Amino acid sequence: KVGYKFCKINIFSYFFRNEKSQRNKSWKAIFMDMYSDLGRYIQYYATLKKAWDDLEKYLAQHCPRMIGSLKESVQEEDLDAVEAQIGCKLPDDYRCSFRIHNGQKLVVPGLMGSMALSNHYRSEDLLDIDTAAGGFQQRLGLKQCLPLTFCIHTGLSQYMALESVEGRNSYEIFYQCPDQMARNPSAIDMFITGSSYLEWFTSYVNNVVTGGYPIIRDQIFRYCAFGL
């Protein structure tokens, strides 16, 4: 039954085509190894692996130096250790993505895009799992929120809500917009950028590889209001 489930959504054939290092093993051995390691991500792996492959291929042609900032994947025990550290479960789509790439180094420009407006500049890195865990929030206004990105210039991040608290839905991704007039420190507005990690990451990649976000001077621009 497990084999039929894999074949039904074509995920096993995707694994097989892309794991050349497994050539000397029988297909059954490959299948069992991969299902044992990645089977919990059956809903997400093919989609996220394709998104990462498409992004890397595009960057290799248009922004090759950014590829060097990507980090190698983490293992299940690394993700389990982070869950134990922060006391919250990580969603499987997030975990799956980090089994492919563990974010990137803190460099400029950032993988998750730049913005330029008058004298304002922002460039967001995709945080690796340990850096993200170090920035996990318990304070009012950002309770149970994990940073996904970070801008070295502005200190701004996009966060993912790991639990449904303070008016947020679980796994929503957002920018925080503090209400300066409110007395309650938990009163923040949110600019929601995704309803899940899968949607957030794959929609961003689609915008990059289809030219929706242009490459200017070796960086991805989500918004640019003046010539660089």
Side-chain angles (χ1 to χ4, degrees):
K1 290 184 179 179
V2 171
Y4 283 122
K5 189 174 184 182
F6 263 107
C7 292
K8 185 176 180 181
I9 63 171
N10 297 318
I11 195 168
F12 172 65
S13 60
Y14 189 91
F15 282 158
F16 194 85
R17 288 196 307 268
N18 287 276
E19 298 294 335
K20 295 179 181 178
S21 62
Q22 304 283 354
R23 279 180 180 170
N24 294 327
K25 292 185 178 181
S26 69
W27 72 266
K28 185 176 180 180
I30 296 171
F31 177 87
M32 296 305 294
D33 286 349
M34 291 184 174
Y35 188 80
S36 176
D37 186 30
L38 296 164
R40 71 178 288 176
Y41 307 123
I42 191 170
Q43 292 179 272
Y44 306 112
Y45 185 91
T47 301
L48 285 166
K49 184 65 164 66
K50 183 179 186 302
W52 273 111
D53 288 348
D54 289 348
L55 181 59
E56 288 185 73
K57 182 179 178 181
Y58 186 84
L59 292 178
Q61 296 174 348
H62 299 90
C63 194
R65 72 173 182 149
M66 194 175 289
I67 292 179
S69 71
L70 300 181
K71 292 190 170 185
E72 296 294 325
S73 64
V74 296
Q75 300 303 309
E76 288 297 289
E77 53 266 30
D78 300 314
L79 295 163
D80 292 343
V82 166
E83 288 185 340
Q85 175 185 339
I86 65 177
C88 285
K89 290 292 185 182
L90 300 169
D92 276 352
D93 51 356
Y94 177 86
R95 290 178 63 112
C96 181
S97 183
F98 282 72
R99 290 301 312 275
I100 301 168
H101 276 296
N102 182 23
Q104 69 172 144
K105 303 169 187 174
L106 286 176
V107 297
V108 177
L111 180 68
M112 300 311 292
S114 302
M115 300 183 188
L117 176 64
S118 184
N119 62 346
H120 177 80
Y121 174 77
R122 180 190 306 176
S123 188
E124 294 181 49
D125 292 306
L126 180 64
L127 294 177
D128 65 67
I129 188 68
D130 290 325
T131 305
F136 181 68
Q137 297 294 314
Q138 295 279 24
R139 61 189 171 93
L140 288 176
L142 284 174
K143 278 189 175 181
Q144 314 300 83
C145 290
L146 184 77
L148 298 183
T149 68
F150 181 73
C151 172
I152 295 172
H153 298 279
T154 64
L156 293 176
S157 293
Q158 292 185 66
Y159 289 90
M160 177 168 60
L162 296 186
E163 293 184 4
S164 296
V165 294
E166 298 181 330
R168 292 180 289 271
N169 296 318
S170 292
Y171 311 137
E172 274 184 341
I173 297 167
F174 63 95
Y175 287 106
Q176 63 163 329
C177 306
D179 186 342
Q180 303 295 335
M181 303 299 293
R183 294 182 179 179
N184 184 349
S186 67
I188 67 168
D189 293 323
M190 297 179 295
F191 183 82
I192 296 172
T193 54
S195 60
S196 69
Y197 185 88
L198 182 75
E199 179 208 6
W200 176 77
F201 184 73
T202 57
S203 62
Y204 174 76
V205 170
N206 182 65
N207 275 318
V208 173
V209 301
T210 59
Y213 295 153
I215 304 290
I216 304 173
R217 293 188 181 178
D218 289 329
Q219 55 187 308
I220 302 164
F221 269 90
R222 287 157 50 198
Y223 185 80
C224 181
F226 65 99
L228 291 176

